């Protein structure tokens, strides 16, 4: 299923102090979201899909941070 990232998603991330938005091949980022990210210093990073045999802990770790987005450590 495709996931759409819009400007309000980016604004919410910035308010929460999250500076990286993880995406994958099923993510659609709107032009307004790209503009918001540029003005709010949020960057997009490609999320690698874990193979089914990856352990549950690694899968859960990759999904933390509000779904598609994570905090810059």
């Amino acid at each position: 299923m495709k996931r759409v990232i819009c400007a309000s998603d980016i604004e919410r991330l910035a308010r929460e102090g999250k500076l990286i938005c993880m995406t994958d091949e099923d993510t659609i980022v709107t032009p307004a979201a790209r503009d918001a990210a540029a003005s709010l210093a949020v960057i997009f990073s490609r999320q690698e899909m874990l193979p089914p045999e990856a352990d549950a802990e690694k899968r859960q770790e990759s999904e933390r941070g509000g779904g598609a987005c994570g905090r810059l450590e």
Side-chain angles (χ1 to χ4, degrees):
M1 175 184 277
K2 298 286 184 182
R3 180 178 53 233
V4 177
I5 304 293
C6 62
S8 62
D9 296 319
I10 299 301
E11 292 163 356
R12 178 184 48 81
L13 292 173
R15 280 193 307 273
E16 294 172 358
K18 296 177 181 176
L19 302 177
I20 298 176
C21 184
M22 301 300 289
T23 62
D24 62 25
E25 64 272 1
D26 292 325
T27 305
I28 298 169
V29 181
T30 66
R34 291 192 187 281
D35 291 344
S39 68
L40 296 170
V42 174
I43 62 170
F44 295 99
S45 181
R46 185 119 176 132
Q47 177 178 346
E48 297 298 324
M49 297 303 292
L50 296 173
E53 61 272 6
D55 66 6
E57 184 178 324
K58 285 184 182 177
R59 263 193 309 267
Q60 289 174 348
E61 185 176 316
S62 73
E63 295 170 355
R64 288 187 191 131
C69 302
R71 182 180 301 275
L72 180 62
E73 300 290 334

